[in-house]
Amino acid sequence: MNEQFPSVLLEKAVGEFAKLPGIGRKTALRLVLHLLRQDTATVEAFGHAMITLKHEVKYCQVCHNISDTETCRICANPHRDHSVICVVENVRDVMAVEATQQYTGLYHVLGGVISPMDGIGPNDLQINSLIERVKTGNINEVILALSTTMEGDTTNFYIYRKLEEFNVKLSVIARGISVGDELEYADEVTLGRSIVNRTPFNGTV
Amino acid sequence: MNEQFPSVLLEKAVGEFAKLPGIGRKTALRLVLHLLRQDTATVEAFGHAMITLKHEVKYCQVCHNISDTETCRICANPHRDHSVICVVENVRDVMAVEATQQYTGLYHVLGGVISPMDGIGPNDLQINSLIERVKTGNINEVILALSTTMEGDTTNFYIYRKLEEFNVKLSVIARGISVGDELEYADEVTLGRSIVNRTPFNGTV
């Protein structure tokens, strides 16, 4: 559609939406016209929710997760295991691990992985503060839960080298075929790993 | 993902995005986290663009198109043909027709089509104001450019009955096979119409 906006304000709002990843200008127009049909209070709630979040969001001073308070809910929870740290890339990964309900320790949000291609080095990530947490001596285990990519593996290795001098157990989340997957469709690297890292079987998985 | 938001503000912003049509909660989270990575000015521009649009948008008093002024740019343009009205459903249709650069008349935005299933009757649409415009006697032609659906056809017929007492030419946009389409893939109703409504050929289409 060759764009002939009937209103400058409309064009501006569409332009702002179209800056979002995965939102083209046609979708942006559809979303803006949808919002325009809602009442003023709804539109204000939409606009202000985002602005308020940006102004008031905090990052946990311990694990760097998004938080409403100086220390996040997870780090402040005395019922969680404060001797285990799960290292993840971002907030979405924290939410994904939390959703499994299989983990009761703390987190450490790196903010990404080492990626020379993107100009991201160790100092751009929260690696030093991870080392500081381990240095306190209160940590028994650090679980590395980064992406299984070249960059994730590089970051795993970097953290391993930094932490090997401390008396801390280092582990990496299991890599193998997905639950529900059929063997014939698994790629050979994944299937190979799952054979090498096979686990003892006592009648139930 | 079972949702365990680390922040109430984040959850609220995601909730607002997820109200938009076609945006699920995972996409909403992705969009909100993307905005959160932008600087404050960008986020404020995003939020305020929508709120400002809602507060300040006007609807043209002549054709009901979205406008920044009491009378829209198209209706206020003396170079356009003020004796022809193209009747469309919504703003996006105005933009679609404008994009063709084949039309120099005015518009009339109905705000929808008659649809008893959705509880939309003639009085919910801008049909009376269309009749008023025709009544002035300054209109030579009304072009009906509504959807080629049952509801669009019903609305066309309703407008036809309302306008037949006036001395105004009524036409409907041509229905036939799309430019670039192959005949064998066209549906039979469309192909049938395009044969019945064939146009004289003088060597060039």
Side-chain angles (χ1 to χ4, degrees), chain A residues 85-103:
Chain A
I85 296 176
C86 178
V87 179
V88 294
E89 285 173 44
N90 55 46
V91 179
R92 276 189 285 175
D93 295 340
V94 172
M95 291 172 67
V97 175
E98 282 297 284
T100 67
Q101 305 191 332
Q102 299 291 320
Y103 181 67

Side-chain angles (χ1 to χ4, degrees), chain A:
Chain A
M1 196 187 291
N2 189 352
E3 283 169 344
Q4 302 265 3
F5 280 96
S7 150
V8 176
L9 293 172
L10 177 68
E11 186 169 10
K12 208 172 154 191
V14 170
E16 290 294 336
F17 263 90
K19 284 183 196 165
L20 297 174
I23 307 278
R25 292 189 74 85
K26 277 204 170 181
T27 304
L29 178 61
R30 191 168 54 83
L31 296 178
V32 169
L33 291 177
H34 168 86
L35 273 171
L36 205 51
R37 282 195 298 272
Q38 313 307 309
D39 57 33
T40 308
T42 305
V43 176
E44 285 178 345
F46 176 84
H48 288 309
M50 199 56 233
I51 294 171
T52 307
L53 173 65
K54 181 65 187 176
H55 281 177
E56 296 183 13
V57 75
K58 293 181 181 67
Y59 293 90
C60 174
Q61 56 191 2
V62 180
C63 74
H64 313 294
N65 191 12
I66 285 179
S67 174
D68 293 329
T69 45
E70 293 295 323
T71 304
C72 78
R73 277 191 248 167
I74 294 172
C75 290
N77 186 344
H79 300 295
R80 296 191 72 121
D81 185 348
H82 283 238
S83 70
V84 186
I85 296 176
C86 178
V87 179
V88 294
E89 285 173 44
N90 55 46
V91 179
R92 276 189 285 175
D93 295 340
V94 172
M95 291 172 67
V97 175
E98 282 297 284
T100 67
Q101 305 191 332
Q102 299 291 320
Y103 181 67
T104 57
L106 306 185
Y107 292 92
H108 193 87
V109 180
L110 287 185
V113 281
I114 297 171
S115 174
M117 290 278 282
D118 300 314
I120 301 173
N123 291 329
D124 299 314
L125 306 174
Q126 298 289 355
I127 292 179
N128 287 331
S129 60
L130 173 65
I131 296 163
E132 292 303 317
R133 288 177 77 180
V134 173
K135 257 189 193 164
T136 61
N138 301 325
I139 308 298
N140 293 328
E141 183 176 3
V142 170
I143 302 170
L144 299 169
L146 305 179
S147 301
T148 59
T149 58
M150 186 87 90
E151 290 78 14
D153 289 345
T154 304
T155 313
N156 281 341
F157 188 69
Y158 183 88
I159 292 173
Y160 161 73
R161 291 299 297 272
K162 286 285 183 185
L163 294 185
E164 62 182 343
E165 59 176 298
F166 302 104
N167 178 28
V168 65
K169 190 178 152 197
L170 206 62
S171 60
V172 69
I173 52 167
R175 297 168 185 190
I177 67 162
S178 300
V179 177
D181 258 15
E182 292 182 48
L183 284 207
E184 58 180 313
Y185 300 119
D187 68 284
E188 56 268 43
V189 179
T190 302
L191 188 53
R193 286 242 197 176
S194 74
I195 289 169
V196 172
N197 300 322
R198 62 198 178 278
T199 50
F201 183 64
N202 57 6
T204 173
V205 181

Side-chain angles (χ1 to χ4, degrees), chain B residues 129-149:
Chain B
S129 61
L130 173 65
I131 296 163
E132 291 302 316
R133 287 177 77 179
V134 173
K135 256 188 194 164
T136 63
N138 301 325
I139 308 298
N140 293 327
E141 182 175 2
V142 171
I143 302 170
L144 299 169
L146 305 180
S147 302
T148 60
T149 57

